[in-house]
Amino acid sequence: MTIDHRGEMDALIYPLFSAPSIDRDEAAALVRAMSRGTYFPHTMAAYSTAISQALAQSDPVTAALEPPYTEAQVREFLGLMLEELEKAKPWPGTD
């Protein structure tokens, strides 16, 4: 898998290990944390790019990580995150 922002993708997967569910509310909460700079040190644009690249490929998005959700569930959740990121525009730190 070629993802220019692999670290950002992994940072999105790690919270899934403790997430009680991976639904739109959780996706929105993570996007709010991104906008505050909480836990997510990179730009929202970098996370958006990483998600878009991952979803465009057939390789597993979870790579070496094994969250307690299936590949299909993680992909669906990343799609929700991408939608929530789009809703959050304009992103902090961008013109």
Side-chain angles (χ1 to χ4, degrees):
M1 175 186 297
T2 303
I3 298 176
D4 295 331
H5 298 275
R6 181 78 241 174
E8 287 86 341
M9 178 55 57
D10 289 347
L12 296 172
I13 301 295
Y14 289 133
L16 303 185
F17 284 93
S18 60
S21 65
I22 52 174
D23 55 15
R24 184 169 300 278
D25 289 340
E26 185 67 21
L30 290 177
V31 169
R32 284 191 301 274
M34 283 180 203
S35 70
R36 291 189 307 268
T38 306
Y39 180 75
F40 297 99
H42 303 288
T43 66
M44 294 173 85
Y47 293 111
S48 177
T49 298
I51 293 170
S52 295
Q53 288 176 349
L55 293 179
Q57 299 182 34
S58 61
D59 296 334
V61 297
T62 54
L65 306 174
E66 295 181 12
Y69 298 99
T70 67
E71 176 72 13
Q73 289 172 313
V74 172
R75 283 180 169 276
E76 181 178 345
F77 179 71
L78 292 173
L80 293 173
M81 285 199 69
L82 198 56
E83 290 173 13
E84 293 299 319
L85 280 163
E86 286 300 309
K87 288 182 193 177
K89 284 183 175 179
W91 298 323
T94 60
D95 294 328

